[in-house]
Structures are given as structure tokens and as C-alpha cells.
Amino acid sequence: LEPASLTGVGMTLGRGSLFAGYLGCVTSLAAVRVLVVTLWPLIVRDYFALGSREYAWCVILRALFEIGGAALVAPSERRYGREATARLGVAVCAACALCIALLP
């Protein structure tokens, strides 16, 4: 098999290492998603001493952002390409993880 080339990276990776890269991205996205879905509402609730009504609004907003993000994947992939969309997804997840880590 001929190695696949990553455009914009400036190097050629074999299919095995390309698969490992994709697997790492998917694994990190899943880990960050679990952290965000599980911990974010609890941290916000405790940090801001929210009641049940305000906590419900946080959960609803999280669901709306999740739906919006999922809806933007296909148009972003068509417009910018699969690799750029994957890099953007990893960057957004890293930024969310950093924000959660920096909460006092």
C-alpha cells in the first residue's frame, strides 16, 4: 500500500500511523466529552451556588451547544476538509478542557 499524505503538514505518514493519529483524536475527544458532559454542570452548579432552575438552564444550554456543534460538522467538513475539521474539533475540545482545568 502507498502511504497516505497529510496535506498542510509537510510530511507523509503510513496508513498505520495515520490510523493511530485518528484513534488518538477520537479517544481524546471522547475523554473531553465525558469530562464536559459529566463535570461541567456540577462544577458550575457548585461554583456559582445555582438552584435547580439555573442548573436546568445550564444543562439546556449545554444540549443546545452540543446539537449546534454536531450540526456544524458536516458543513465544515465539506467546506474546509476532513483534516481541518478534525483539527478544529480537537482544538475546541482542548480549549474546553483548559477552561475546566483553570476554574478555581
Side-chain angles (χ1 to χ4, degrees), residues 7 10 13 16 21-22 28 33-34 37 39 41-43 52-53 58 61 65 75-78 83 92:
T7 55
L13 297 173
Y22 284 142
S28 64
R33 185 182 186 286
V34 166
V37 168
L39 295 179
L42 298 175
I43 291 171
S52 59
R53 185 177 206 160
C58 287
L61 284 174
F65 280 118
S76 174
E77 190 173 295
R78 277 194 301 271
E83 287 83 15
V92 168

Side-chain angles (χ1 to χ4, degrees), residues 87-98:
R87 279 186 243 132
L88 177 65
V90 170
V92 168
C93 287
C96 290
L98 184 65

Side-chain angles (χ1 to χ4, degrees), residues 8-90:
V9 175
M11 61 186 200
T12 303
L13 297 173
R15 293 207 187 274
S17 58
L18 185 63
F19 175 75
Y22 284 142
L23 183 63
C25 288
V26 168
T27 304
S28 64
L29 288 172
V32 169
R33 185 182 186 286
V34 166
L35 286 173
V36 169
V37 168
T38 306
L39 295 179
W40 176 79
L42 298 175
I43 291 171
V44 168
R45 186 192 66 187
D46 291 342
Y47 185 75
F48 294 110
L50 299 178
S52 59
R53 185 177 206 160
E54 293 85 6
Y55 179 72
W57 278 108
C58 287
V59 172
I60 289 170
L61 284 174
R62 181 195 51 86
L64 290 175
F65 280 118
E66 190 173 320
I67 291 167
L72 289 174
V73 170
S76 174
E77 190 173 295
R78 277 194 301 271
R79 184 172 184 158
Y80 302 113
R82 184 171 287 165
E83 287 83 15
T85 303
R87 279 186 243 132
L88 177 65
V90 170

